[in-house]
Amino acid sequence: FVALAGWRRASIHVPRSDWDGTAHVTSLADFLAYPFFTPAPQALIYDDRDRNLNAEVRFLTPDKGGRLRAQTGVSYFEETTRLFAQIAPVREFAQLLEAIGEGGDATRRANQVTTSWAGFTELIWTPTASIEVTTDLRHTYDQKEIDMVLAASGFYAGPRVASVTHE
């Protein structure tokens, strides 16, 4: 028997993204002069978490010098991805939006779970010392679940799609 297993976790947290707009290259005056061609000054908060698990169990026939060998087994894979992104106007732009009664922000949440099971068999036939013939049979069952919410209000819900800056 051969057993393999793995686990991985990756987290990306950017709590101090360009929330105050100091890294943004477009000024408020630029936006007011060309509102449809210049990206709106805004900031991004980003939180991404990924986790995956995998395991495999194989049974290999003993190699006794014969012409036929085999292995059979099962594998499992699971991955969970969660994303949260919050976009809001930078300080000066937020004040302008508030003055005209617009306001607004955008939130994106996504959850995705992937599950995969597989069963497999492999036969290896060696008719001569220099020829090896391998045949495989595998059945895989994959399932994906995706849950996503994208909500925007005020300025960000309008036809002017703004760009995002982050560090």
Side-chain angles (χ1 to χ4, degrees):
F1 277 99
V2 174
L4 307 166
W7 174 77
R8 179 184 67 96
R9 180 179 172 196
S11 295
I12 301 170
H13 303 283
V14 188
R16 288 177 281 142
S17 297
D18 185 26
W19 196 247
D20 65 356
T22 56
H24 201 280
V25 297
T26 304
S27 71
L28 182 58
D30 290 338
F31 179 77
L32 292 174
Y34 306 100
F36 296 103
F37 302 106
T38 306
Q42 60 185 333
L44 172 70
I45 296 292
Y46 187 71
D47 182 2
D48 183 10
R49 300 169 192 221
D50 298 324
R51 175 186 68 93
N52 71 41
L53 307 167
N54 59 65
E56 183 172 298
V57 177
R58 294 184 213 161
F59 173 74
L60 301 126
T61 57
D63 188 1
K64 297 182 179 179
R67 293 182 181 212
L68 189 61
R69 293 174 294 157
Q71 73 172 329
T72 187
V74 294
S75 66
Y76 174 77
F77 175 78
E78 178 183 307
E79 181 173 56
T80 304
T81 303
R82 305 211 188 291
L83 169 71
F84 170 77
Q86 177 75 43
I87 300 171
V90 296
R91 186 178 22 218
E92 291 174 354
F93 190 61
Q95 291 170 353
L96 171 70
L97 291 176
E98 185 177 320
I100 63 173
E102 184 82 33
D105 66 357
T107 301
R108 183 176 131 190
R109 289 185 176 88
N111 296 315
Q112 178 175 307
V113 177
T114 302
T115 307
S116 179
W117 284 95
F120 57 89
T121 299
E122 179 178 86
L123 297 173
I124 304 164
W125 177 51
T126 312
T128 69
S130 61
I131 297 175
E132 184 175 278
V133 178
T134 303
T135 183
D136 297 307
L137 178 63
R138 181 179 187 93
H139 176 74
T140 302
Y141 173 77
D142 289 331
Q143 181 177 357
K144 268 196 194 294
E145 296 176 17
I146 299 173
D147 175 25
M148 183 170 181
V149 175
L150 178 58
S153 65
F155 175 81
Y156 295 96
R160 297 162 289 192
V161 178
S163 67
V164 177
T165 63
H166 56 89
E167 298 175 341

